[in-house]
Amino acid sequence: MRTGPEYLKSLDDGRQTFFEGERVDPITEHPVMGTAADWVATSYETFYDPAVGATSPILVPPRSADELRERIPQLRRVDIVTRTTFGSLMAMLTAADRLRDVQGARSDNVLAYHQEAALSDIRITECITDAKGDRSLSPKDQPDPDAYVRIVDRADDGVVIRGAKMHITGASFGHDLMVMPTKRMKAEEEDWSIACAVPVNAPGVKIINSSYAPRSADTRHFPVTSHEHMPDGFVIFDDVFVPNERVFLAGEGRYAAVFAHSLGLWERIGGTSAMAEQADLLVGFAHLVADANGTLKYSHVKEKIAEMVIHASLIRAGLEAALLHCVHTADGFVHPNELYTNAAKYHGAANYNLMVRHVHDIAGGAVLTAPTIGDLENPETGEFVTKYLQGRKGVAAEHRLRLLHTIRDLTADSHGGWHSVTNVQSGGGLYAQRIVSMNHYDMERARGLALDAAGIADWAS
Ligand SMILES: Cc1cc2nc3c(=O)[nH]c(=O)nc-3n(C[C@H](O)[C@H](O)[C@H](O)COP(=O)(O)OP(=O)(O)OC[C@H]3O[C@@H](n4cnc5c(N)ncnc54)[C@H](O)[C@@H]3O)c2cc1C
């Protein structure tokens, strides 16, 4: 297994990665990219085992309902790229299982890749969202055929791919990019039906990063995002060769959706688990800031907090149901229940911004304008900051200040904006979750109940 320092060294491999107009080299010394890499290195250190042949426990696929139940919350305690590594591998294993009968050799490639990835303790990011061009047109009808990643050349030993994958979380911080089709492909769209693993430093790969990381000299003003943030990458594949053993789908258009759906499932269970924690965290903020402000007794504040409690409890209930009703695959792995995963993810994402509004409503304007800890420490201003930032007697002004900074950092600053869009779009957007929920819901049973209640025995033929 790799140590944190070994991971940091491994990033110095010639990868072409860019930030705000400039090539980043080395990543570890960049003020924004470097702290994100440190976050990933911290998780490596947490799980490091010096034994020969040891593999990271966080990357072992769950084989029972209990293991799945253990693994999902564990992932909340690691950095995002370790999470996407787990998600990519689980999605590939789920897809391989679903396609074993029809493309056995490619499914074997997946199993071999998974073993090698676990043994070499690499990190992998999920590359599914294409540039997509005109959304009303299929890949083959786009004026620019590269709007969706596609195969542009085939040889005996592999394929060459071209295109771009957008918004890829942590793309510059993994070792491999797991490329999958973003959706079902139609007849004559064989070239766009490509799933494969590409090293980040492969010739022809370029990554342009964007980041919500704070650019403040005083990191205390951003208590969370100063050390926990992850740039998203716009990943360009400019005629990249991929050898056969790293290709998992190459032209079988009718199977393309299997990969997209498998990744969607693992991405959404991760999202649901994250939102369950976030929702409890927001309840905690709302309660503490109302306490600090002296408003905990007012009925409208109590009602808002109660609504937040119900929201948080429903997400957690959906998460629990998704894990409890998991599905066992023929390959011996388990995956979460599709309906409960998608319904819970949808509920959490659709209502997140309302819950944030409640926190802002309860907290007051100081969420945005509270002075910094530096102002508190400055002898010329500190005494006034303490005096006027005091809320209810008994709660220290400094504690109220720290609370307000953390609420701003997480919900009302750069990360807050990132979060409000991410919750809606991640895992394929709200529409995708509605479709999957509809596909897995027992509509016949619901119709039967309604017909029974209405006393109708012979509904239309
Ligand atoms: C911060 C962040 C991180 C992300 N991380 C990753 C990642 O790690 N890996 C990854 O692969 N993706 C990632 N995503 C991408 C995410 O999955 C997409 O943003 C999402 O699937 C929506 O795609 P889009 O952004 O291209 O928007 P669009 O597809 O353009 O969607 C915008 C709206 O248009 C609607 N729409 C689009 N096309 C149609 C159509 N044909 N018919 C009807 N309605 C349509 C959609 O339903 C939606 O309402 C991330 C996104 C964000 C914001």
Side-chain angles (χ1 to χ4, degrees):
M1 287 176 68
R2 288 173 205 246
T3 62
E6 281 167 356
Y7 159 74
L8 291 173
K9 199 156 171 269
S10 73
L11 297 177
D12 192 9
D13 60 359
R15 59 188 60 202
Q16 296 191 61
T17 189
F18 301 82
F19 191 82
E20 296 183 345
E22 289 177 1
R23 173 103 183 247
V24 179
D25 194 16
I27 285 182
T28 44
E29 283 174 28
H30 189 270
V32 171
M33 304 281 281
T35 46
D38 286 343
W39 189 21
V40 183
T42 305
S43 302
Y44 267 104
E45 286 293 287
T46 308
F47 294 102
Y48 178 66
D49 178 348
V52 178
T55 54
S56 179
I58 204 89
L59 302 183
V60 176
R63 290 182 177 272
S64 68
D66 284 347
E67 283 181 17
L68 181 67
R69 248 192 139 277
E70 251 171 51
R71 189 63 38 77
I72 297 299
Q74 258 181 355
L75 289 164
R76 302 279 35 101
R77 297 193 283 277
V78 298
D79 68 278
I80 296 184
V81 173
T82 302
R83 279 179 236 160
T84 62
T85 306
F86 177 78
S88 304
L89 291 174
M90 293 311 110
M92 294 309 289
L93 290 173
T94 306
D97 181 76
R98 290 173 180 177
L99 293 175
R100 171 152 299 288
D101 291 345
V102 286
Q103 53 161 34
R106 298 255 193 243
S107 290
D108 290 344
N109 277 358
V110 172
L111 294 182
Y113 176 82
H114 169 256
Q115 268 190 350
E116 190 197 311
L119 275 178
S120 50
D121 205 11
I122 59 166
R123 294 296 178 260
I124 306 166
T125 54
E126 303 165 340
C127 297
I128 187 162
T129 308
D130 289 284
K132 294 193 274 197
D134 182 337
R135 270 62 174 158
S136 68
L137 300 175
S138 282
K140 69 177 170 45
D141 299 324
Q142 296 281 342
D144 182 347
D146 302 337
Y148 288 75
V149 168
R150 67 182 177 121
I151 300 169
V152 290
D153 199 9
R154 291 170 193 264
D156 286 345
D157 55 346
V159 297
V160 175
I161 62 169
R162 185 187 303 157
K165 294 285 187 183
M166 315 292 287
H167 332 287
I168 309 308
T169 301
S172 294
F173 299 87
H175 302 99
D176 275 0
L177 302 153
M178 184 64 77
V179 174
M180 295 182 213
T182 201
K183 65 184 191 71
R184 182 172 63 86
M185 295 294 164
K186 295 182 177 162
E188 298 171 42
E189 291 183 337
E190 288 79 12
D191 286 344
W192 289 272
S193 306
I194 171 74
C196 56
V198 179
V200 175
N201 67 347
V205 171
K206 284 193 172 116
I207 303 174
I208 301 172
N209 299 274
S210 60
S211 173
Y212 55 84
R215 318 285 206 270
S216 168
D218 188 343
T219 54
R220 294 171 304 175
H221 201 44
F222 295 87
V224 179
T225 59
S226 55
H227 58 283
E228 288 189 3
H229 69 87
M230 188 49 65
D232 300 301
F234 162 17
V235 183
I236 300 152
F237 298 93
D238 188 20
D239 291 2
V240 177
F241 175 73
V242 189
N244 280 334
E245 64 274 15
R246 288 177 153 253
V247 174
F248 311 122
L249 178 82
E252 301 84 354
R254 61 193 182 284
Y255 308 142
V258 174
F259 287 88
H261 287 159
S262 301
L263 186 70
L265 173 63
W266 286 101
E267 182 54 32
R268 288 170 206 150
I269 194 70
T272 303
S273 164
M275 282 192 299
E277 283 301 295
Q278 276 163 19
D280 286 337
L281 185 68
L282 287 183
V283 170
F285 280 136
H287 206 270
L288 285 171
V289 82
D291 188 14
N293 289 357
T295 56
L296 212 43
K297 63 185 176 187
Y298 295 115
S299 62
H300 80 94
V301 171
K302 284 197 270 195
E303 276 165 26
K304 286 179 184 109
I305 294 175
E307 236 182 81
M308 294 175 72
V309 165
I310 290 166
H311 170 79
S313 304
L314 283 177
I315 301 174
R316 198 159 293 279
L319 173 65
E320 291 293 324
L323 299 177
L324 190 68
H325 297 277
C326 61
V327 174
H328 293 256
T329 72
D331 282 338
F333 306 120
V334 291
H335 64 73
N337 174 283
E338 292 269 10
L339 174 62
Y340 295 127
T341 300
N342 279 274
K345 168 73 172 66
Y346 179 88
H347 172 80
N351 293 294
Y352 172 77
N353 287 344
L354 176 61
M355 300 305 132
V356 169
R357 192 188 87 188
H358 285 338
V359 178
H360 293 169
D361 192 355
I362 291 168
V367 161
L368 292 182
T369 63
T372 64
I373 298 293
D375 296 314
L376 184 71
E377 289 170 350
N378 182 340
E380 288 183 79
T381 53
E383 151 191 12
F384 300 105
V385 173
T386 305
K387 177 177 164 71
Y388 293 111
L389 259 290
Q390 183 66 50
R392 167 175 87 75
K393 193 163 174 262
V395 177
E398 182 183 337
H399 289 168
R400 181 163 175 259
L401 200 62
R402 286 186 187 276
L403 197 57
L404 291 163
H405 285 161
T406 314
I407 293 173
R408 174 190 42 72
D409 186 17
L410 288 178
T411 66
D413 221 315
S414 174
H415 178 262
W418 178 89
H419 222 142
S420 90
V421 177
T422 301
N423 268 4
V424 171
Q425 295 294 357
S426 69
L430 295 178
Y431 179 52
Q433 288 139 54
R434 282 201 294 266
I435 292 177
V436 182
S437 298
M438 284 296 284
N439 286 345
H440 290 271
Y441 181 78
D442 190 349
M443 191 59 80
E444 278 314 301
R445 180 176 174 274
R447 284 166 62 100
L449 287 175
L451 288 173
D452 276 355
I456 301 171
D458 52 348
W459 186 248
S461 54

